[in-house]
Amino acid sequence: MTDGDGSDLTGDQRALRDTLRGFLVTELPTAALRAALETEAGYSPQLHTRLAAELGLAGLTIPGEFGGLGLSQAEACVVHTELGRALYPGPYLAGYLAAGVLAATVPATGDRAIAERWLPQLAAGSVTGTIAAADSGGLWSSATGSVRAHLTPHGWRLYGRSWYVIAAHVAGIVVVSALAGSVPAMFLVESGAPGFRVSPMPGLDLTRRVGVTAFDATPAVLLVQGADAAAALDRAEREFLLATAAEAVGGIDWCVDTAVMYAKDREQFGRPTASFEAVAHACVEMLTAFQDVSEAPRYAAVADVEGAADAPAAARVAALRAGQAYRGVTQTAVQLFGGIGSSGEHGAHLYYRRAWAAERLSGGPHARRGALTD
Amino acid sequence: MDFAEDPDHRLIREAVREVCARFPDEYWAELDQTHTFPWEFYAAMAKGGWIGIAIPAAYGGGGLGITEASIVLEEVAASGACMNGASSIHLSIFGMHPVVRHGSEELKQRYLPRVAAGDLHVAFGVTEPDAGLDTTAIRTRAVPDGAGYRITGRKVWTSKALESERVLLLTRTTPAGECTKRTDGLTLFVAPLNDPAVTVRPIPKLGRNAVASCEVTYDGLYVSASDRVGEEGRGFTYLLDGLNAERVLIAAEALGTGRAALRRAAAYAKNRTVFGRPIGQNQGIAFPLAEAHARLGAAELAIRHASWRIDQGLPAGEQANLAKFLAAEAGFAAADAAVQTHGGFGYATEYHVERYWREARLLKIAPIPQEMILNYLAEHVLGLPRSY
C-alpha cells in the first residue's frame, strides 16, 4: 500500500517485486516463519531452494557467464526490500555478499578458475556462501588483524576469528578478510576444512543467525590481496549497507501496513482505535518515516551502478537513516499493537529485533557517522 | 519523607500571588514591547518585603531560605510575569549572597539593608565577551591605586545594568600567569555603575525585554578598597558558594513560566471550539498538555529536593543541576505546547504565550546552558572523564 505505484521502478523491477512479494506472502505467513525459526537451521531449506533456484534469486547479480542473471544492485535493492518486508530468515544475503566478492576477483586478477568453480554453484543454490569480515566490535576492516594469514609450503593457512558472520552455521564456503603480513587480503575457506569452527552468537535477531568463525591453521585459497583486497572489502561492506537499508525499508512498510490495518479493525470504547487521534497520528508518523527513507537505498544503489562519486556516502546515509527510522517505527508498531504486539505469537517483536540488530553486524550507526565524518 | 506543604510556604505563595494579581499579562506585554523596567511591580514586591526574603534578618531581610526564595520567584513567573518579573527582582533576592557570606561587617551594614528594602538595585558582572563560561579567563583588571583600585575591562550580559546603582563585579587582580591556580587572583567588588568611567549599552535580544541585558565597559573606574568583598584574590571561591542556589532559583522561574503557559493553554483548549467541539477534546491537543503537566510536576519535585538540601546545609550539586536541567526543559516544552495549542493565535502577541515562549527559551541558555549541566552530571555524578 505504502509503496504507491512504485513509479521509479522499471516494468521488470515492478514485476520482480510483485512476484517475490506474492511468493513470500503465500509461502511465508507469520505462522510458517515462526515454525521455521524453531528448526535447527532457523529457516526452511526447501523454501530457500525454491527461492534461490526456482525464482533464480541466488544468481541475481552473478554474471551470466557464471550461471547468474547478471542483474544490477538496482534489482538487488528490490529483492532485499521484499526479503526484509517478509523477514525472510534464509541465508540469502550472506550468499549474495560472498558471490559479489568472488565475481570481483575475475577483473582484479584475470584468474577465472575460482569464479568458474564456485559461482555457478552459488547461482544454482546448491552451495551457500557467506563473508567473514568483522572484528569483535563488528567493524569491517582487515587492519585489526583479527584473522592472519601465513604462507606455508602447503599453501595459505588462516589463524584467528571473525565475528558477526551471517548464516555461518550453514555456509559451504566462507570469504574471509585477513591480514597477510601487513597486507590486506581476501581468502576462500571451505566449511569442511581442518581447523575451521563455527560457534553461534545468540542475539536479539531471531530471523537472522550469526556466528563466530574460528580458524586454526585452516587451509585457504587466496582471492585478492593489497589494494584489490581493500577495494573488495569496501565494496562488500557497501553491498551490505545497501542491503540492510533496503531490508529496513521493507520492514517499515510491513509495520505501517499491519499497524494501520490493526488500528482500523481493533475496537475500544465501541470504536476503532484508529479513530483516536493519538493512534491516528502515530500511524501518520510511521508513514512519514517510511516516505522519508524509502527512496534512499534505491538512490544509493543506482548511484553505485552508475559509479557515481557519492555512491559510498549515499550507501552510508541510506543505512544510517533507514536504520534510524526502522528502530523508531518498530517501537511505535509494538506500542500500537498493545499487549498483542509484545506477545511471542505476533510478528511485531521480530521486526523490532531485526531493526535493532541489523546495523550492528557492521559496526552500527556509530561506524556510519564516523565514516561520513571522515 | 513528608510531602505535606508547610503552612508558611502556602502563605508565601498566596501573598505573592496577591501582589502579582495586580500586574496582569497586559502590563507585562506592554513593558516587554516598550522595553521598560517594571518599576511599579518592583516597588510592590519591595513593599511586601519579598525582595529581602533571603537576606539575613540582622540586615533588614526576611532571613528565610532558598526554598522560600524559590517559591517567591516561581509564583512571580507563574503569574504571567515570567522572566520579565523574575529577573527584575532576582538579583536583589539572591545576587548579594557573596556579600552576605564573605563581606566585611561594614560592607554588609552599608549595602544589605538597602538591598533588602528594595532601594538599592544591584547587577551582576561576571561574563565577558572572550571568557563566556570559562570564568577564570576573564580579562577585566583591577589594579591598586591609592586607597582603592582602578578597574578596566568589558563585561557582557550584565542584566539591569541600566537601572542599578551598584554591580557585583568580578575582576582579575593577579594575572593568571602569576597564580598557582587559575582560579586564584580574582577579586569581587561592589562597584559603582553611575560613574563617567562606565559605559552601558543594552544588547538587543529575543525576549525578556522589560529587563535589559547590557554590555558594560569599565574605563579606569575607581573603586574604594572598602567596596572589596572579602579578601583580594578569592573572588572565584566566593562565587562558587552561591551557584547551586542560583540554579535552583532559575529552575523555579522556569517552572513558573511553564505553569503560566500551561494554564493559558488548558483554558484555551477548553474554550476554543472547532468542528463543533472544544479543541481540547482532540488527543493531539490534550496529550502534549498532559505531558507538559507531567514534566513540570517532575521538575517541581527536583526543585523541592534541591532547595531542601541547600537549606539543610547538605551538598546539593547534583540535585541543583538536575533541577535546573529538568525545569528548563519542562518550562520550554510547556510554552511550546501552549503556542501550538493556540494555533495561529499562538503567534499573536495578544494571547501572551509567544512572550512566555521567548522567555522560557532563555532558561535553556542562561545562566548556564543545558550542555554544561550535562557536563557537570557526567563528570561529578557519573565519574566520567572531564570533556573540556
Side-chain angles (χ1 to χ4, degrees):
Chain A
M1 178 192 84
T2 44
D3 255 0
D5 60 353
S7 54
D8 282 337
L9 302 179
T10 64
D12 286 349
Q13 289 167 353
R14 248 201 307 270
L16 175 63
R17 179 196 69 188
D18 295 344
T19 306
L20 188 50
R21 188 174 298 186
F23 177 84
L24 289 167
V25 164
T26 314
E27 303 297 334
L28 196 66
T30 309
L33 174 59
R34 278 207 318 275
L37 299 182
E38 299 291 323
T39 64
E40 204 185 324
Y43 68 99
S44 156
Q46 293 78 15
L47 186 64
H48 188 69
T49 304
R50 291 183 59 197
L51 189 103
E54 219 173 274
L55 298 181
L57 294 189
L60 189 79
T61 51
I62 293 175
E65 54 186 312
F66 299 113
L69 299 176
L71 296 173
S72 76
Q73 278 97 330
E75 284 75 28
C77 184
V78 171
V79 170
H80 293 307
T81 305
E82 292 309 312
L83 297 183
R85 197 177 196 284
L87 282 185
Y88 178 70
Y92 180 79
L93 174 59
Y96 171 82
L97 296 172
V101 176
L102 292 181
T105 59
V106 179
T109 64
D111 182 357
R112 299 173 56 89
I114 290 176
E116 276 169 0
R117 171 153 183 219
W118 293 109
L119 285 179
Q121 295 188 65
L122 287 172
S126 54
V127 164
T128 302
T130 189
I131 180 166
D135 65 9
S136 58
L139 288 178
W140 286 35
S141 166
S142 58
T144 57
S146 66
V147 179
R148 291 188 175 275
H150 297 286
L151 188 57
T152 72
H154 312 289
W156 289 94
R157 297 288 183 268
L158 300 188
Y159 298 84
R161 289 186 211 195
S162 300
W163 282 260
Y164 301 101
V165 182
I166 308 169
H169 63 304
V170 293
I173 55 170
V174 184
V175 169
V176 186
S177 166
L179 267 187
S182 60
V183 178
M186 299 286 260
F187 292 90
L188 185 141
V189 166
E190 293 182 49
S191 62
F196 176 75
R197 214 175 64 247
V198 175
S199 42
M201 282 182 81
L204 192 61
D205 190 350
L206 302 180
T207 54
R208 176 179 282 153
R209 297 203 185 169
V210 297
V212 180
T213 51
F215 310 91
D216 184 14
T218 305
V221 177
L222 178 67
L223 299 174
V224 280
Q225 59 180 328
D228 289 334
L233 183 63
D234 269 359
R235 154 138 228 103
E237 188 185 18
R238 188 150 74 245
E239 294 276 11
F240 176 79
L241 295 180
L242 285 172
T244 47
E247 286 177 353
V249 169
I252 292 171
D253 193 23
W254 182 91
C255 289
V256 178
D257 278 0
T258 316
V260 168
M261 210 187 317
Y262 181 75
K264 284 180 186 165
D265 285 351
R266 170 79 172 162
E267 291 199 357
Q268 291 278 278
F269 304 105
R271 50 194 252 208
T273 56
S275 68
F276 294 101
E277 262 189 346
V279 172
H281 288 186
C283 289
V284 171
E285 291 291 335
M286 290 167 79
L287 179 64
T288 56
F290 172 80
Q291 288 175 341
D292 213 15
V293 298
S294 60
E295 292 305 318
R298 190 172 159 72
Y299 171 80
V302 171
D304 204 54
V305 174
E306 292 174 353
D310 75 335
R316 289 186 177 117
V317 168
L320 187 64
R321 299 283 288 123
Q324 202 170 18
Y326 200 8
R327 281 179 268 129
V329 163
T330 53
Q331 211 162 320
T332 307
V334 167
Q335 186 75 15
L336 287 180
F337 287 119
I340 287 287
S342 53
S343 76
E345 280 175 43
H346 197 276
H349 75 104
L350 296 175
Y351 287 85
Y352 178 84
R353 289 163 176 276
R354 167 63 68 86
W356 284 90
E359 297 165 297
R360 309 284 154 177
L361 303 184
S362 66
H366 189 70
R368 300 295 87 70
R369 290 199 183 90
L372 284 165
T373 309
D374 294 343
Chain B
M1 213 169 285
D2 184 0
F3 284 98
E5 189 182 20
D6 186 312
D8 288 348
H9 293 171
R10 190 169 335 133
L11 289 175
I12 292 174
R13 277 188 198 282
E14 285 166 6
V16 174
R17 267 179 215 174
E18 239 178 74
V19 177
C20 293
R22 309 208 300 266
F23 302 92
D25 274 306
E26 289 69 24
Y27 171 79
W28 295 107
E30 195 195 327
L31 296 186
D32 192 64
Q33 223 152 28
T34 56
H35 293 212
T36 312
F37 187 80
W39 295 107
E40 303 84 356
F41 168 78
Y42 183 91
M45 289 298 283
K47 194 168 161 218
W50 301 115
I51 285 181
I53 184 168
I55 289 177
Y59 305 100
L64 295 174
I66 292 304
T67 301
E68 289 78 10
S70 71
I71 289 171
V72 170
L73 287 165
E74 177 197 330
E75 285 300 332
V76 166
S79 74
C82 300
M83 296 309 294
N84 275 326
S87 298
S88 72
I89 58 172
H90 178 110
L91 287 167
S92 300
I93 286 184
F94 188 69
M96 292 302 265
H97 182 77
V99 176
V100 173
R101 288 289 298 273
H102 305 287
S104 69
E105 188 53 35
E106 187 273 330
L107 191 75
K108 289 196 256 195
Q109 291 290 359
R110 195 142 44 89
Y111 290 124
L112 294 181
R114 287 187 59 209
V115 173
D119 145 57
L120 172 63
H121 288 261
V122 285
F124 207 66
V126 176
T127 311
E128 294 187 5
D130 299 321
L133 293 159
D134 189 2
T135 305
T136 62
I138 62 161
R139 293 209 297 237
T140 296
R141 283 298 311 271
V143 180
D145 182 356
Y149 297 81
R150 287 274 166 203
I151 297 178
T152 305
R154 205 150 60 101
K155 297 284 181 185
V156 275
W157 300 117
T158 306
S159 288
K160 273 185 80 177
L162 288 172
E163 294 83 8
S164 296
E165 181 184 326
R166 294 267 158 179
V167 58
L168 202 63
L169 189 64
L170 188 70
T171 63
R172 187 162 272 293
T173 34
T174 312
E178 295 166 30
C179 298
T180 346
K181 289 185 298 181
R182 292 178 58 80
T183 48
D184 291 342
L186 297 171
T187 303
L188 210 48
F189 293 96
V190 185
L193 277 171
N194 302 331
D195 189 292
V198 179
T199 315
V200 178
R201 189 184 67 85
I203 303 167
K205 62 189 195 305
L206 174 72
R208 207 203 63 184
N209 282 320
V211 182
S213 289
C214 308
E215 186 179 88
V216 184
T217 311
Y218 302 89
D219 186 10
L221 171 70
Y222 180 77
V223 183
S224 150
S226 63
D227 279 330
R228 193 185 66 218
V229 180
E231 292 173 37
E232 189 179 300
R234 310 238 7 234
F236 189 77
T237 330
Y238 298 164
L239 279 186
L240 284 186
D241 259 2
L243 287 187
N244 288 335
E246 167 77 13
R247 273 160 216 191
V248 172
L249 296 182
I250 286 289
E253 294 165 17
L255 172 65
T257 302
R259 292 248 192 262
L262 187 54
R263 187 179 58 236
R264 273 204 169 262
Y268 188 80
K270 266 185 256 180
N271 294 324
R272 167 83 170 163
T273 302
V274 179
F275 299 115
R277 54 190 221 172
I279 60 169
Q281 202 172 337
N282 299 307
Q283 291 179 337
I285 301 286
F287 285 8
L289 299 182
E291 187 174 339
H293 179 73
R295 294 192 188 284
L296 289 169
E300 182 176 18
L301 286 177
I303 291 169
R304 291 284 75 88
H305 184 198
S307 76
W308 179 82
R309 285 188 71 92
I310 291 171
D311 290 338
Q312 298 293 315
L314 298 169
E318 175 183 353
Q319 292 76 15
N321 277 284
L322 213 132
K324 193 274 174 180
F325 182 84
L326 293 176
E329 293 295 323
F332 181 72
D336 198 53
V339 170
Q340 196 69 16
T341 300
H342 281 73
F345 291 120
Y347 221 67
T349 312
E350 189 189 340
Y351 286 81
H352 302 290
V353 287
E354 61 83 29
R355 174 166 52 84
Y356 301 170
W357 186 86
R358 284 184 284 123
E359 296 184 21
R361 187 63 184 81
L362 171 64
L363 299 171
K364 288 177 34 147
I365 307 171
I368 177 170
Q370 300 295 79
E371 292 79 3
M372 289 304 281
I373 298 276
L374 295 176
N375 271 330
Y376 178 92
L377 295 174
E379 183 184 346
H380 296 287
V381 180
L382 302 182
L384 302 177
R386 185 184 170 103
S387 66
Y388 57 97

